[in-house]
Amino acid sequence: MKLSVITKSIFLNGICLLYILLFVYAAVSKLLDFENFQVQLGQSPLLSAYASWVSYIVPLIELVVAVFLAVNRWRFVGLLASLMLMVMFSSYIFIVLHYTSFVPCSCGGILEKMSWNQHLVFNLFFVLLVLLALAFYSSLHQSKNRMIKGAPIAGIISISVLSSIGFMIALFLTSEEIMHHENPFIRRYPQHPILLRHQMDLKFNSYYFAGYRKGKIYLGNYTNPLQLLSMDSSLNNRQFEKISFEVKNRFFQRVTIGIRDSFFYLKDGTVPTVFMGSTSNWKLSKELKGIPFFTLAEAIDTANLVFRANNGKEYANVLGLFRSNQVPKVSYNPHLLQRQIDGVFDTDGILLYSEKIKKIVYLYFYRNEFIVADINSKLAYRGHTIDTTTKAKIKVAYLKNQTERTMMAPPLIVNANAAVCQNLLFVHSKIKGRYENDLLWKQAVIIDVYDLNKNTYLLSFPIYNNGEKKMDSFWVTATHLYAIMGNKLMVYELKSILKKEINSVRLKER
């Protein structure tokens, strides 16, 4: 049964009115809550890199299209634009649901209350409506409208749909490239990458992370350096391990314990000395003799370790290797740490070692850079955190005829702490990114995650304060994140988005 001209006209006007209401409502909702809309776009897997201009253009286009639909003379252009917008919105949701790890962003208002699958169905329904409207318009005005006169409406629609889908795919691919490799300081916050599972009162705030082995986390204690506290991820099976130590005539000042595989290491760079023993009996059995004074040290294995010393030019920081089975035992790579101001404060940072990928990692405190080197201290690459602080913002004063140096003013800390788990580097950042609100930074510390194999930024997540206590230090395993907040130990379970990145290394090794 053929519809009459009047019926087609009524349907056409009704569909145009629905679209006008939809676009005006969506645009006004975005503008009324513009800051939140911009934040959500900044976290979008497709639009992160373009959030600054997309946040202005989208509501503007919606309002313009609404005007085109309201004016008979421009209605065909308005209908085509409506089709392209709805196809782009639908493509956006489809890509988010099937090709990305998380689903941020919303349209605002009541549309925000829909699930993403519901939103996709809603969009596709409006796509069908606008296709019906274009068919009615074509049959009513084909002889009058120059754009459709002599041109098949199906061809125009096909080109519009394909170009809209192609545009969204291009946005997705280019945005991903920019976010991972040329990040404009926009963080991505997926939904719940970690989940708090357990917490316990340590009674004292002098604990630090010594290491992890066979499902147990080990905590050292600065005030009782020869005793370790161990427990599993459920904070059960707690026990104290007493280190047997009978060495005399050593005046230790800052003893720390580190655990690597089935061995533990007692370190004090002020002596200097490094002892090692087995975790099976907690007895020191061997001293790594010949190591120079050091400020940081990480064991690579039972015969080798990487350390930081003040043996560089003008007593600047330098990274070195100690090999107990080679001659000479000590070697330095003066080119790894790069001086900007004084060579000491400006190169201060955190020394880490990833046993799984056999890489040395050094993260600067005061600039957006980290160093990745192999076990021979040969530079692999210089990576950058996503903030923009390329030069350390510190002021150094020299005292006692230039023999001592101190900070003249509080420095700008860029990276406060870090942990490494297999191929992932977890960085506690102190710099607020674009589209981030102050409330989040008051309530939590922010962890940025980087893939060391690909030299890319992956994602960020907050670790919320425990009352007034912020996180002091943390440790990451393949399944959990442990955090010390004052005298509390918090255990978070890693969710699939992080486990997938960690497991990708295991899959490649098979």
Side-chain angles (χ1 to χ4, degrees):
M1 185 179 86
K2 292 186 178 181
L3 295 176
S4 66
V5 172
I6 296 176
T7 303
K8 290 181 180 179
S9 181
I10 291 173
F11 272 111
L12 177 60
N13 291 330
I15 293 171
C16 288
L17 181 59
L18 273 177
Y19 261 96
I20 290 169
L21 291 173
L22 175 67
F23 286 147
V24 170
Y25 175 79
V28 171
S29 297
K30 293 179 180 73
L31 294 174
L32 289 176
D33 196 12
F34 183 75
E35 183 179 357
N36 183 50
F37 173 61
Q38 198 171 52
V39 168
Q40 291 172 325
L41 282 179
Q43 297 169 18
S44 164
L46 273 72
L47 306 173
S48 303
Y50 310 111
S52 58
W53 58 267
V54 169
S55 60
Y56 291 96
I57 287 180
V58 169
L60 177 62
I61 289 177
E62 288 174 333
L63 291 174
V64 170
V65 172
V67 172
F68 276 36
L69 290 171
V71 180
N72 287 331
R73 183 178 178 183
W74 299 333
R75 181 160 288 180
F76 182 74
V77 175
L79 287 171
L80 275 182
S82 300
L83 173 65
M84 295 179 73
L85 276 179
M86 294 310 294
V87 169
M88 283 190 278
F89 293 158
S90 301
S91 301
Y92 171 85
I93 296 173
F94 184 82
I95 293 171
V96 165
L97 287 174
H98 295 89
Y99 297 98
T100 65
S101 302
F102 54 99
V103 285
C105 187
S106 68
C107 290
I110 59 173
L111 301 181
E112 189 174 356
K113 307 303 180 182
M114 295 183 184
S115 71
W116 284 87
N117 283 308
Q118 290 172 338
H119 209 150
L120 181 59
V121 172
F122 177 86
N123 283 7
L124 292 176
F125 172 72
F126 269 82
V127 169
L128 292 176
L129 283 181
V130 75
L131 288 174
L132 185 61
L134 281 166
F136 288 160
Y137 187 94
S138 175
S139 65
L140 291 172
H141 302 281
Q142 187 167 14
S143 60
K144 302 176 183 178
N145 193 299
R146 293 181 180 180
M147 289 189 65
I148 58 177
K149 188 177 181 180
I153 189 66
I156 298 174
I157 290 174
S158 299
I159 293 172
S160 300
V161 170
L162 292 176
S163 60
S164 299
I165 295 173
F167 179 71
M168 292 309 298
I169 294 173
L171 272 185
F172 172 56
L173 296 176
T174 56
S175 182
E176 285 295 281
E177 177 68 18
I178 292 171
M179 288 297 295
H180 288 310
H181 299 282
E182 306 170 28
N183 192 290
F185 204 8
I186 300 172
R187 287 190 171 93
R188 287 182 166 176
Y189 292 98
Q191 296 178 3
H192 312 301
I194 63 171
L195 186 62
L196 178 63
R197 289 300 189 190
H198 308 282
Q199 59 179 301
M200 68 172 288
D201 189 351
L202 296 170
K203 307 299 183 184
F204 305 99
N205 62 359
S206 53
Y207 282 99
Y208 64 91
F209 291 105
Y212 179 84
R213 180 174 180 269
K214 290 187 176 180
K216 283 191 173 184
I217 190 75
Y218 290 85
L219 303 181
N221 194 321
Y222 291 118
T223 59
N224 190 357
L226 298 183
Q227 183 172 276
L228 294 172
L229 173 61
S230 69
M231 66 204 78
D232 60 26
S233 60
S234 299
L235 301 183
N236 297 319
N237 302 317
R238 303 175 202 172
Q239 62 185 75
F240 287 98
E241 308 289 356
K242 183 69 175 178
I243 296 173
S244 178
F245 186 64
E246 300 177 357
V247 178
K248 299 180 180 179
N249 301 320
R250 298 290 178 97
F251 300 97
F252 295 102
Q253 298 181 36
R254 185 72 166 177
V255 173
T256 58
I257 306 297
I259 294 173
R260 177 80 64 204
D261 196 20
S262 58
F263 294 90
F264 70 96
Y265 300 82
L266 183 146
K267 303 171 286 186
D268 190 338
T270 63
V271 176
T273 190
V274 175
F275 289 89
M276 61 172 290
S278 173
T279 56
S280 61
N281 55 21
W282 299 101
K283 291 183 179 180
L284 294 171
S285 58
K286 178 182 178 182
E287 179 181 4
L288 301 180
K289 295 181 179 180
I291 190 168
F293 290 92
F294 60 86
T295 52
L296 296 172
E298 284 291 326
I300 294 175
D301 52 42
T302 56
N304 307 289
L305 59 86
V306 57
F307 64 90
R308 187 188 71 184
N310 296 121
N311 295 346
K313 186 178 180 181
E314 298 179 354
Y315 298 102
N317 287 324
V318 63
L319 292 182
L321 288 177
F322 175 82
R323 297 183 176 94
S324 60
N325 298 329
Q326 294 188 18
V327 178
K329 293 184 177 181
V330 177
S331 62
Y332 296 95
N333 187 337
H335 305 294
L336 285 179
L337 301 184
Q338 293 184 328
R339 174 175 177 165
Q340 289 185 334
I341 299 171
D342 70 322
V344 177
F345 292 122
D346 63 341
T347 58
D348 198 6
I350 305 158
L351 180 62
L352 303 164
Y353 177 69
S354 175
E355 186 177 12
K356 192 70 176 180
I357 63 173
K358 300 188 184 320
K359 288 290 189 293
I360 298 165
V361 181
Y362 189 87
L363 175 72
Y364 289 112
F365 281 138
Y366 307 119
R367 58 178 118 156
N368 67 341
E369 185 178 323
F370 58 90
I371 300 160
V372 179
D374 63 19
I375 56 176
N376 296 312
S377 78
K378 182 179 179 181
L379 178 68
Y381 65 85
R382 298 185 187 275
H384 292 88
T385 53
I386 60 173
D387 63 274
T388 56
T389 310
T390 57
K391 186 172 182 179
K393 295 180 180 180
I394 60 175
K395 293 183 179 180
V396 181
Y398 293 86
L399 309 173
K400 296 183 179 180
N401 296 322
Q402 306 291 312
T403 60
E404 292 184 6
R405 67 191 90 190
T406 186
M407 291 278 197
M408 289 179 62
L412 175 67
I413 299 174
V414 176
N415 306 304
N417 211 329
V420 65
C421 178
Q422 299 187 29
N423 60 310
L424 299 188
L425 174 64
F426 296 76
V427 177
H428 171 195
S429 175
K430 298 281 283 187
I431 307 296
K432 189 171 73 170
R434 296 173 67 185
Y435 315 123
E436 294 176 7
N437 58 61
D438 294 330
L439 182 61
L440 175 64
W441 282 79
K442 290 178 181 179
Q443 296 177 338
V445 301
I446 304 302
I447 305 297
D448 298 326
V449 186
Y450 302 86
D451 188 328
L452 295 174
N453 284 339
K454 300 176 183 177
N455 187 18
T456 58
Y457 164 74
L458 294 177
L459 56 92
S460 301
F461 58 87
I463 297 181
Y464 287 93
N465 306 338
N466 182 10
E468 296 182 356
K469 297 293 184 181
K470 287 182 174 286
M471 185 189 73
D472 300 310
S473 59
F474 68 106
W475 191 278
V476 183
T477 71
T479 56
H480 292 84
L481 183 148
Y482 300 82
I484 293 177
M485 300 184 188
N487 60 352
K488 294 290 183 67
L489 175 64
M490 321 294 286
V491 182
Y492 301 84
E493 180 186 352
L494 302 187
K495 306 307 288 184
S496 59
I497 188 171
L498 286 171
K499 287 182 179 179
K500 182 178 69 174
E501 298 295 340
I502 294 173
N503 291 334
S504 65
V505 175
R506 297 176 183 174
L507 293 174
K508 289 178 181 178
E509 292 175 347
R510 293 178 182 175

